[in-house]
Amino acid sequence: MHVDVVKTGMLPSLGIVKVLHKSLREYPVPALVVDPVMVSTSGDVLAGPSILAGFRNELLPMADLVTPNIKEASVLLGGVQLESVSDMRSAAKLIHDMGPRNVLVKGGHLPDSLDAIDVFFDGESFHELHSSRIKTRNTHGTGCTLASCIAAELAKGSSMLSAVKDAKHFIETALAYSRDIIIGKGAQGPFDHHFRLKNGQSSCRLDRLNPNDLLLYAVTDSGMNRKWGRSIADAVKSSIEGGATIIQLREKDAETREFLEAAKACLEICRLHGVPLLINDRIDVALACDADGVHVGQSDMPAHVARSLLGPEKIIGVSCKTPEQAQQAWIDGADYIGSGGVYPTNTKENNRTIGLDGLRTVCLASKLPVVAIGGIGTSNVRAVMEIGVPNLKGVAVVSALFDRECVLTETRKLHAVIMEATSLVK
Ligand SMILES: Cc1ncc(COP(=O)(O)OP(=O)(O)O)c(N)n1
Ligand SMILES: Cc1ncsc1CCOP(=O)(O)O
Ligand SMILES: [Mg+2]
């Protein structure tokens, strides 16, 4: 049988670590995920010094990914205390020096953190992965499930970062779904791994789009990128490296063939980074390149028609300026709403500005997550993120990223301001 991925769980003796090491040398696999199960939730160290040495010397150098939680990272590093995201970054780097290709330090136990923050390090770049912290007793087995889910996504062909992001989203959604289930009498209960099978359409919605991906939504404009002498793919790559969390190709004046080729190139980059890629207006192009979804406006193809063409797995965003449009978008099977122009913009002609009040009204009427758009940049993004409605998940930006000389620098700057603003909101 051909094995695509091996994932390890608790390894209770040095003998077993050695057998595993020998077998993996004899029968190499395309990917090895090591979940270094060493510390129980109650804090007991489950692995003695000899097993620890086995992990460090034999397994970690072979691993494509190791997934310690904070306590396990601390044990691997000889007992150093990890109390902040910055400590987690340093730990990820030190563990990476032990040999694994990628490290995911899980911050679920991080004190004083409102989000569940994990730090991913691939030897070159760090990624902070945020998800909401779900208040529930049913957290038993989350680490094991996360590593298993990553392994499964890798076996399906995902890149490492993309697999990690998908797995984290699966855990967040499963925990939210299982929040109030009561099974057993322990302090912790298990969560429901099968929620996807039970919850019909609404879980599909949660599944297609991770609302946190709307945080910094980069929308391209070929005119702007041409003006600055770069390809669409180069612009997309730089924006992702700067922190963009989702991309939309909005190529109003591109020939269909040219658009399709650019979309394919961008999709490759996006998949590598685990960032969704949507196509503006053109359902045909989205289908032809197998993009992650589309964004449509009130005068484009209706969202319910787009849904029937694209099927249940693709993301659909709809532009809405009014509560009625927001309600219709939900009925039509959309996944998120783009609402604006919040401020005046030169990027879209004759676009009515709705202001912060209009944005708030749409958010309050929407069952879907919302991304704000229109005239947004570093000088006003804080005011947008601070309007105080929980379903406003981020900002979509064209000129502040792409009508600039250096997309990477501008995206980094905007990302930093958004992160600061969202931490203040919480
Ligand atoms: C995220 C996001 N929100 C709104 C829009 C605007 O879409 P639409 O109203 O269809 O206008 P065009 O972009 O097609 O000119 C968007 N593109 N993205
Ligand atoms: C496409 C779109 N829809 C509403 S405003 C807008 C343009 C946003 O561009 P910019 O970020 O340059 O103002
Ligand atoms: Mg449109």
Side-chain angles (χ1 to χ4, degrees):
M1 192 186 287
H2 173 77
V3 174
D4 292 304
V5 183
V6 165
K7 174 252 167 195
T8 67
M10 186 173 168
L11 302 168
S13 72
L14 180 61
I16 286 177
V17 173
K18 284 191 175 297
V19 167
L20 187 60
H21 180 253
K22 186 165 168 283
S23 305
L24 287 168
R25 293 205 126 213
E26 212 172 327
Y27 304 104
V29 287
L32 171 65
V33 176
V34 173
D35 182 13
V37 181
M38 291 187 301
V39 186
S40 75
T41 312
S42 48
D44 293 330
V45 177
L46 306 172
S50 64
I51 302 180
L52 250 181
F55 263 118
R56 286 200 195 109
N57 303 332
E58 315 223 7
L59 275 193
L60 293 195
M62 303 180 99
D64 292 285
L65 175 71
V66 59
T67 61
N69 61 30
I70 284 192
K71 290 175 189 168
E72 288 156 350
S74 161
V75 171
L76 278 172
L77 295 173
V80 291
Q81 284 293 103
L82 305 178
E83 287 168 350
S84 63
V85 174
S86 147
D87 292 347
M88 287 165 66
R89 282 176 169 247
S90 312
K93 195 159 187 318
L94 290 170
I95 294 170
H96 186 267
D97 291 343
M98 295 175 185
R101 251 69 65 219
N102 300 277
V103 181
L104 180 70
V105 179
K106 298 173 294 184
H109 297 105
L110 196 66
D112 306 328
S113 163
L114 292 168
D115 274 358
I117 305 170
D118 299 341
V119 170
F120 176 82
F121 182 56
D122 60 10
E124 279 183 13
S125 354
F126 288 96
H127 298 261
E128 268 176 37
L129 309 176
H130 291 243
S131 59
S132 347
R133 188 179 285 278
I134 314 289
K135 268 199 157 177
T136 173
R137 69 189 271 282
N138 297 325
T139 54
H140 190 70
T142 41
C144 302
T145 302
L146 182 87
S148 305
C149 192
I150 295 170
E153 289 300 320
L154 290 175
K156 280 157 60 186
S158 293
S159 71
M160 187 59 81
L161 181 57
S162 178
V164 168
K165 285 185 177 179
D166 282 350
K168 189 166 165 64
H169 181 47
F170 174 80
I171 298 287
E172 181 189 15
T173 320
L175 285 174
Y177 178 76
S178 317
R179 191 190 313 245
D180 302 319
I181 292 171
I182 297 192
I183 298 175
K185 294 182 182 149
Q188 272 189 310
F191 63 101
D192 188 342
H193 295 73
H194 296 294
F195 69 98
R196 275 185 188 171
L197 300 175
K198 295 178 188 158
N199 203 21
Q201 204 200 10
S202 61
S203 75
C204 271
R205 277 188 194 198
L206 289 170
D207 254 15
R208 285 188 292 255
L209 172 73
N210 178 350
N212 296 322
D213 283 344
L214 296 174
L215 187 75
L216 176 43
Y217 189 152
V219 181
T220 67
D221 180 297
S222 46
M224 291 177 194
N225 286 318
R226 204 176 310 117
K227 172 177 146 194
W228 290 100
R230 59 192 164 232
S231 70
I232 305 168
D234 284 344
V236 164
K237 185 164 181 284
S238 302
S239 69
I240 293 176
E241 284 167 358
T245 50
I246 186 166
I247 305 289
Q248 180 189 137
L249 298 188
R250 182 176 179 272
E251 300 297 323
K252 294 288 187 184
D253 56 0
E255 300 286 343
T256 300
R257 191 170 295 209
E258 177 200 351
F259 192 0
L260 182 57
E261 288 314 309
K264 285 181 186 164
C266 293
L267 201 57
E268 216 168 284
I269 296 164
C270 286
R271 293 263 152 94
L272 202 66
H273 291 83
V275 169
L277 178 86
L278 309 191
I279 305 290
N280 174 281
D281 295 351
R282 298 285 302 266
I283 317 293
D284 56 338
V285 174
L287 280 168
C289 70
D290 193 27
D292 298 303
V294 295
H295 185 93
V296 287
Q298 293 296 323
S299 50
D300 299 320
M301 185 173 291
H304 68 94
V305 182
R307 169 64 65 218
S308 66
L309 291 171
L310 289 168
E313 301 206 330
K314 298 295 183 189
I315 299 169
I316 297 180
V318 178
S319 312
C320 299
K321 287 183 192 284
T322 66
E324 294 72 27
Q325 291 172 352
Q327 259 142 23
Q328 191 60 45
W330 161 261
I331 292 166
D332 285 351
D335 298 289
Y336 76 88
I337 281 172
S339 192
V342 177
Y343 299 107
T345 176
N346 292 324
T347 305
K348 186 172 166 61
E349 273 181 18
N350 304 321
N351 187 60
R352 183 165 67 83
T353 302
I354 62 169
L356 290 176
D357 286 342
L359 173 65
R360 192 181 293 104
T361 307
V362 169
C363 288
L364 291 174
S366 174
K367 288 189 187 160
L368 295 169
V370 181
V371 61
I373 187 166
I376 299 173
T378 44
S379 62
N380 54 19
V381 69
R382 181 186 292 261
V384 176
M385 294 309 291
E386 286 178 355
I387 65 168
V389 275
N391 61 340
L392 179 70
K393 294 295 179 185
V395 291
V397 180
V398 187
S399 52
L401 303 185
F402 297 115
D403 201 5
R404 298 286 187 277
E405 187 170 5
C406 181
V407 175
L408 177 66
T409 311
E410 298 306 324
T411 319
R412 274 196 183 136
K413 272 198 242 163
L414 190 59
H415 185 261
V417 183
I418 295 172
M419 293 311 288
E420 207 184 290
T422 46
S423 67
L424 289 178
V425 170
K426 282 167 183 163

